[in-house]
Amino acid sequence: MFEDIPVEVGLVFEGERIRKEDMQVELGGPKVDQKFEIVLVRSPDAVEDGKISVIGPDLKDIPQGSHIPFGILVEVAGSRLEEDLEGVLERRIHEYMNYIQGVMHLNQRYDIWIRVGKKSFAKGLDSFTYIGKAIERLYRSELALIEKIQITFLTGGDEFESLYRAALERYETRDARARGLSDEEVDTFYGCALCQSFAPNHICVITPERYANCGAISWFDGRAAARMDPEGPIFPISKEICIDPEKGEYSGINEHAKKRSMGEVNRVYLYSGFGYPHTSCGCFEAIAFYIPEVEGFGIVHRRFSGPTVNGLPFSTLADSTAGGRQVEGFHGISLEYMRSRKFLRADGGWNSIVWMPKEIKESLTGFIPDDVVEKIATEADATDMQSLEEFLRKTGHPVVERWSTQADQDEETSGPDQGGMSYSHGGQGPVFVAGELPITTGGVTIILKNAKIFAEKVIIRPIEKEKKGGKQ
């Protein structure tokens, strides 16, 4: 099936990572603002079956080490195809591209991140046409309802700009359709295992009010996918008994998670970042991360390139969030989930959010409650813990009511000349969590895995700096 493609294509390459030093080019990714992939269902006469086009420079024409805007347009036709299947078919691009030796595909929609490796490029994988052939044949072999297919790769130009804007509009149309239906109104949720090659213990649960972490699969998409391909990677999950409606715990989800994770994950809370948070693979659109100093959550998405308010960039926070683990205070989420009525409901919902990038905040206009929207800081309001605390106090954010200010103890523990901030911790979770916490002492290093540290009080004290000729 792949004799005319210069590299191997198969399941064995799924999950392959291509490091920066090993990449020929990077398509999309965090250094590029505009990128997309989209599947559109067309009428049969609008699709030229088997056609693969490249608009803009082809792989061999792109300088090694480049980071470029990139788009993938897959157009399909078939008597049994409906627009409801577009999102489902689109997510298969992630799966199929990862089958190609030397090609790494991460994320989805407007956040795709693709690398082509130097070794595969040297073997002859120097044109997007080869990648298109592999994708086309995999679609045909797995999904018989596709009768005609054509694929276009775009690396720049006016047509790229036009299709990029059209893709964003199509994504929003799909998302809006799923809003309004509640989790209580359905008997079946859906699971997605497309990313288990990257995170074996992860199982993504899709409900009407909790989109897939990747942001690409709604409950309607999950239902359509399960009907289209009963043996495929998206499948029904019976809700069974609702154990805790506030946290979103269901016996059916717990049982399914236990089975799919080989016993590593036994309980799942759909609406909380504490206790047994929903696992994350690595394709999540954003991260909700707990900030113990102010007893609230920050939000950061992939497009945010700088450090967050606690000094950590998205990449560092992602290391504590991904991998299919349940780490309290680190919660991979989709942007659409933030529009849900169940968004972190057990943790206070929007009243628990204290910081997020301005771009996300603006995109959620109308979904963040009016009484708290101006009280949530962005990078324009706070860039560190001190400025965040000042902003939250000034605006009267709901988390301030939970703080217990103890001026006398601050004076005693910090001293009149040292400054610093002190908080009594009365929150719902640990004051510090980490995927790995190294402690070096006595000539040895102790590494605490999935560490959770609890404390009644947190004291933040500035570090003394040394001057020439003596200490400050």
Side-chain angles (χ1 to χ4, degrees):
M1 182 167 61
F2 303 110
E3 292 180 357
D4 56 347
I5 297 175
V7 296
E8 298 295 322
V9 178
L11 187 62
V12 66
F13 300 108
E14 191 179 19
E16 178 185 11
R17 293 286 187 176
I18 297 175
R19 303 300 177 188
K20 182 178 179 181
E21 60 272 17
D22 299 321
M23 79 174 193
Q24 176 69 24
V25 296
E26 186 169 89
L27 313 168
K31 296 183 179 180
V32 174
D33 290 333
Q34 295 184 339
K35 57 266 185 177
F36 70 92
E37 62 186 16
I38 191 164
V39 170
L40 298 175
V41 174
R42 304 288 200 190
S43 61
D45 57 354
V47 178
E48 186 176 336
D49 193 29
K51 181 181 179 182
I52 299 172
S53 306
V54 180
I55 298 176
D58 203 349
L59 261 177
K60 58 180 174 291
D61 304 316
I62 302 170
Q64 181 178 310
S66 296
H67 311 265
I68 66 166
F70 189 62
I72 304 173
L73 169 63
V74 178
E75 297 168 281
V76 294
S79 58
R80 292 182 293 160
L81 286 177
E82 300 175 357
E83 285 189 6
D84 286 355
L85 294 173
E86 287 180 348
V88 177
L89 297 174
E90 197 169 278
R91 195 67 182 116
R92 292 293 181 97
I93 297 174
H94 168 76
E95 180 181 13
Y96 297 155
M97 287 194 75
N98 279 313
Y99 286 175
I100 305 171
Q101 183 183 23
V103 176
M104 181 187 78
H105 181 291
L106 298 174
N107 310 333
Q108 65 295 311
R109 285 190 173 187
Y110 42 71
D111 264 338
I112 55 172
W113 184 0
I114 302 165
R115 283 178 175 173
V116 177
K118 292 177 182 177
K119 291 182 179 179
S120 288
F121 184 83
K123 286 183 178 181
L125 190 68
D126 58 1
S127 174
F128 292 117
T129 301
Y130 295 126
I131 295 175
K133 287 181 178 179
I135 295 173
E136 175 212 347
R137 292 168 192 175
L138 287 166
Y139 266 119
R140 291 186 191 277
S141 66
E142 293 197 6
L143 302 168
L145 44 71
I146 293 178
E147 297 167 8
K148 299 177 73 174
I149 180 172
Q150 68 181 32
I151 302 173
T152 305
F153 297 94
L154 303 99
T155 58
D158 293 341
E159 193 165 350
F160 174 89
E161 291 284 342
S162 176
L163 279 170
Y164 172 71
R165 291 192 296 271
L168 295 182
E169 291 176 3
R170 192 63 159 240
Y171 302 145
E172 172 57 24
T173 299
R174 294 179 193 162
D175 294 344
R177 177 174 178 264
R179 295 169 196 154
L181 186 65
S182 73
D183 288 354
E184 289 79 13
E185 292 179 88
V186 301
D187 296 324
T188 303
F189 295 154
Y190 293 92
C192 178
L194 277 169
C195 295
Q196 278 199 314
S197 59
F198 294 95
N201 295 332
H202 169 61
I203 180 64
C204 196
V205 180
I206 305 162
T207 81
E209 295 186 87
R210 199 185 192 289
Y211 242 69
N213 287 353
C214 65
I217 306 294
S218 71
W219 183 85
F220 286 107
D221 294 332
R223 183 178 66 175
R227 291 174 177 175
M228 175 188 71
D229 185 9
E231 303 301 320
I234 298 177
F235 43 83
I237 300 176
S238 178
K239 288 166 57 176
E240 302 296 341
I241 300 170
C242 180
I243 300 171
D244 190 325
E246 189 70 13
K247 295 184 175 68
E249 183 179 11
Y250 294 85
S251 61
I253 292 176
N254 288 345
E255 185 62 31
H256 208 84
K258 182 177 180 180
K259 178 181 177 181
R260 285 272 175 172
S261 69
M262 307 282 283
E264 291 294 322
V265 178
N266 297 303
R267 298 178 68 183
V268 175
Y269 292 166
L270 295 178
Y271 318 139
S272 176
F274 296 121
Y276 302 93
H278 187 288
T279 59
S280 303
C281 55
C283 289
F284 40 76
E285 289 188 286
I287 300 169
F289 58 97
Y290 188 63
I291 307 174
E293 294 91 334
V294 294
E295 300 186 37
F297 278 93
I299 302 286
V300 65
H301 64 326
R302 291 183 180 277
R303 292 174 180 265
F304 191 73
S305 58
T308 61
V309 72
N310 66 1
L312 301 176
F314 178 91
S315 57
T316 302
L317 292 168
D319 286 342
S320 293
T321 309
R325 296 167 296 166
Q326 289 180 303
V327 182
E328 290 194 78
F330 291 91
H331 199 40
I333 58 175
S334 66
L335 298 183
E336 186 62 25
Y337 174 49
M338 296 171 68
R339 297 182 175 96
S340 166
R341 293 166 296 184
K342 299 293 198 312
F343 173 57
L344 293 180
R345 183 171 71 173
D347 307 324
W350 280 106
N351 284 347
S352 70
I353 306 302
V354 296
W355 185 92
M356 63 171 57
K358 187 177 180 182
E359 180 184 343
I360 298 184
K361 190 173 179 180
E362 291 177 348
S363 72
L364 294 169
T365 299
F367 291 93
I368 304 176
D370 292 340
D371 59 348
V372 75
V373 63
E374 297 300 329
K375 300 175 183 179
I376 298 174
T378 71
E379 70 273 23
D381 306 307
T383 56
D384 54 30
M385 288 296 105
Q386 183 172 346
S387 58
L388 177 61
E389 184 215 14
E390 292 171 355
F391 178 87
L392 298 176
R393 286 189 184 279
K394 179 181 177 181
T395 60
H397 193 288
V399 299
V400 176
E401 298 176 7
R402 299 201 297 263
W403 297 351
S404 176
T405 306
Q406 301 176 2
D408 292 340
Q409 290 187 25
D410 291 351
E411 183 73 16
E412 180 182 341
T413 57
S414 297
D417 298 322
Q418 294 181 16
M421 294 183 291
S422 175
Y423 301 94
S424 289
H425 182 68
Q428 303 173 61
V431 298
F432 181 83
V433 291
E436 290 189 1
L437 177 63
I439 301 174
T440 302
T441 180
V444 299
T445 297
I446 301 171
I447 298 177
L448 304 180
K449 292 282 190 178
N450 294 336
K452 303 174 187 177
I453 298 177
F454 294 80
E456 292 182 357
K457 188 173 184 179
V458 178
I459 300 171
I460 304 168
R461 183 182 298 168
I463 299 174
E464 296 291 332
K465 296 182 179 178
E466 292 188 2
K467 291 183 177 179
K468 290 183 179 180
K471 294 184 179 180
Q472 264 187 327

